[in-house]
Amino acid sequence: MLNNYFKTWKMGDGLIHACGICGEWDTLSLNERKHVFDLTIEEVKGKVPVIATIDSTNVQDSIELAKYAEKIGMDGVLAGPPFSIPRWRMKLSLFLR
């Protein structure tokens, strides 16, 4: 599985997106997502930038994942608002603060 996961950057792509949009992040526990982050950092070894998807239906989980990504040396995060909350009821700028 890891060979397929890292195939993209070995072909010369310039970014790895851990638990990305097609990564079924919503089916993984927080610990499983952190494990994927760890595996990604270990495998890439600084050769290309790495970002982590921190989307969640729970804002506190997103915050925890963002802090973990920073702690292990990820280059950035992809943060979207919780998809379970109607967009008209929240302001994206407030969520991202």
PDB file of all heavy atoms in Angstrom, residues 1-8:
ATOM      1  N   MET A   1       0.810  -1.195   0.000  1.00  0.00           N
ATOM      2  CA  MET A   1       0.000   0.000   0.000  1.00  0.00           C
ATOM      3  C   MET A   1       0.858   1.265   0.000  1.00  0.00           C
ATOM      4  O   MET A   1       0.586   2.195  -0.714  1.00  0.00           O
ATOM      5  CB  MET A   1      -0.927  -0.009   1.201  1.00  0.00           C
ATOM      6  CG  MET A   1      -1.816   1.209   1.275  1.00  0.00           C
ATOM      7  SD  MET A   1      -2.941   1.058   2.667  1.00  0.00           S
ATOM      8  CE  MET A   1      -3.094   2.745   3.111  1.00  0.00           C
ATOM      9  N   LEU A   2       1.898   1.278   0.828  1.00  0.00           N
ATOM     10  CA  LEU A   2       2.743   2.468   0.874  1.00  0.00           C
ATOM     11  C   LEU A   2       3.409   2.744  -0.463  1.00  0.00           C
ATOM     12  O   LEU A   2       3.584   3.894  -0.840  1.00  0.00           O
ATOM     13  CB  LEU A   2       3.808   2.331   1.965  1.00  0.00           C
ATOM     14  CG  LEU A   2       3.326   2.537   3.386  1.00  0.00           C
ATOM     15  CD1 LEU A   2       4.472   2.335   4.364  1.00  0.00           C
ATOM     16  CD2 LEU A   2       2.712   3.902   3.574  1.00  0.00           C
ATOM     17  N   ASN A   3       3.770   1.686  -1.194  1.00  0.00           N
ATOM     18  CA  ASN A   3       4.385   1.900  -2.501  1.00  0.00           C
ATOM     19  C   ASN A   3       3.456   2.670  -3.422  1.00  0.00           C
ATOM     20  O   ASN A   3       3.892   3.567  -4.143  1.00  0.00           O
ATOM     21  CB  ASN A   3       4.775   0.566  -3.143  1.00  0.00           C
ATOM     22  CG  ASN A   3       5.977  -0.053  -2.466  1.00  0.00           C
ATOM     23  OD1 ASN A   3       6.766   0.638  -1.836  1.00  0.00           O
ATOM     24  ND2 ASN A   3       6.109  -1.353  -2.582  1.00  0.00           N
ATOM     25  N   ASN A   4       2.177   2.356  -3.410  1.00  0.00           N
ATOM     26  CA  ASN A   4       1.219   3.095  -4.234  1.00  0.00           C
ATOM     27  C   ASN A   4       1.043   4.518  -3.725  1.00  0.00           C
ATOM     28  O   ASN A   4       0.924   5.456  -4.505  1.00  0.00           O
ATOM     29  CB  ASN A   4      -0.136   2.387  -4.245  1.00  0.00           C
ATOM     30  CG  ASN A   4      -0.100   1.101  -5.023  1.00  0.00           C
ATOM     31  OD1 ASN A   4       0.723   0.939  -5.917  1.00  0.00           O
ATOM     32  ND2 ASN A   4      -0.968   0.180  -4.679  1.00  0.00           N
ATOM     33  N   TYR A   5       1.042   4.676  -2.416  1.00  0.00           N
ATOM     34  CA  TYR A   5       0.828   5.991  -1.814  1.00  0.00           C
ATOM     35  C   TYR A   5       1.934   6.969  -2.207  1.00  0.00           C
ATOM     36  O   TYR A   5       1.680   8.131  -2.480  1.00  0.00           O
ATOM     37  CB  TYR A   5       0.756   5.830  -0.297  1.00  0.00           C
ATOM     38  CG  TYR A   5       0.449   7.097   0.445  1.00  0.00           C
ATOM     39  CD1 TYR A   5      -0.815   7.652   0.404  1.00  0.00           C
ATOM     40  CD2 TYR A   5       1.436   7.746   1.178  1.00  0.00           C
ATOM     41  CE1 TYR A   5      -1.100   8.824   1.087  1.00  0.00           C
ATOM     42  CE2 TYR A   5       1.162   8.901   1.869  1.00  0.00           C
ATOM     43  CZ  TYR A   5      -0.108   9.436   1.820  1.00  0.00           C
ATOM     44  OH  TYR A   5      -0.387  10.580   2.492  1.00  0.00           O
ATOM     45  N   PHE A   6       3.165   6.491  -2.236  1.00  0.00           N
ATOM     46  CA  PHE A   6       4.294   7.370  -2.511  1.00  0.00           C
ATOM     47  C   PHE A   6       4.720   7.388  -3.974  1.00  0.00           C
ATOM     48  O   PHE A   6       5.667   8.068  -4.333  1.00  0.00           O
ATOM     49  CB  PHE A   6       5.470   6.999  -1.612  1.00  0.00           C
ATOM     50  CG  PHE A   6       5.152   7.193  -0.161  1.00  0.00           C
ATOM     51  CD1 PHE A   6       5.045   6.118   0.692  1.00  0.00           C
ATOM     52  CD2 PHE A   6       4.916   8.452   0.331  1.00  0.00           C
ATOM     53  CE1 PHE A   6       4.727   6.298   2.026  1.00  0.00           C
ATOM     54  CE2 PHE A   6       4.594   8.648   1.668  1.00  0.00           C
ATOM     55  CZ  PHE A   6       4.493   7.565   2.510  1.00  0.00           C
ATOM     56  N   LYS A   7       4.011   6.665  -4.812  1.00  0.00           N
ATOM     57  CA  LYS A   7       4.346   6.603  -6.228  1.00  0.00           C
ATOM     58  C   LYS A   7       4.348   7.991  -6.861  1.00  0.00           C
ATOM     59  O   LYS A   7       5.206   8.308  -7.677  1.00  0.00           O
ATOM     60  CB  LYS A   7       3.342   5.694  -6.937  1.00  0.00           C
ATOM     61  CG  LYS A   7       3.618   5.448  -8.374  1.00  0.00           C
ATOM     62  CD  LYS A   7       2.578   4.457  -8.894  1.00  0.00           C
ATOM     63  CE  LYS A   7       2.760   4.172 -10.348  1.00  0.00           C
ATOM     64  NZ  LYS A   7       1.718   3.264 -10.846  1.00  0.00           N
ATOM     65  N   THR A   8       3.411   8.836  -6.484  1.00  0.00           N
ATOM     66  CA  THR A   8       3.284  10.162  -7.081  1.00  0.00           C
ATOM     67  C   THR A   8       4.552  10.984  -6.921  1.00  0.00           C
ATOM     68  O   THR A   8       5.080  11.524  -7.872  1.00  0.00           O
ATOM     69  CB  THR A   8       2.103  10.918  -6.444  1.00  0.00           C
ATOM     70  OG1 THR A   8       0.920  10.145  -6.611  1.00  0.00           O
ATOM     71  CG2 THR A   8       1.908  12.269  -7.099  1.00  0.00           C
TER      72      THR A   8
END
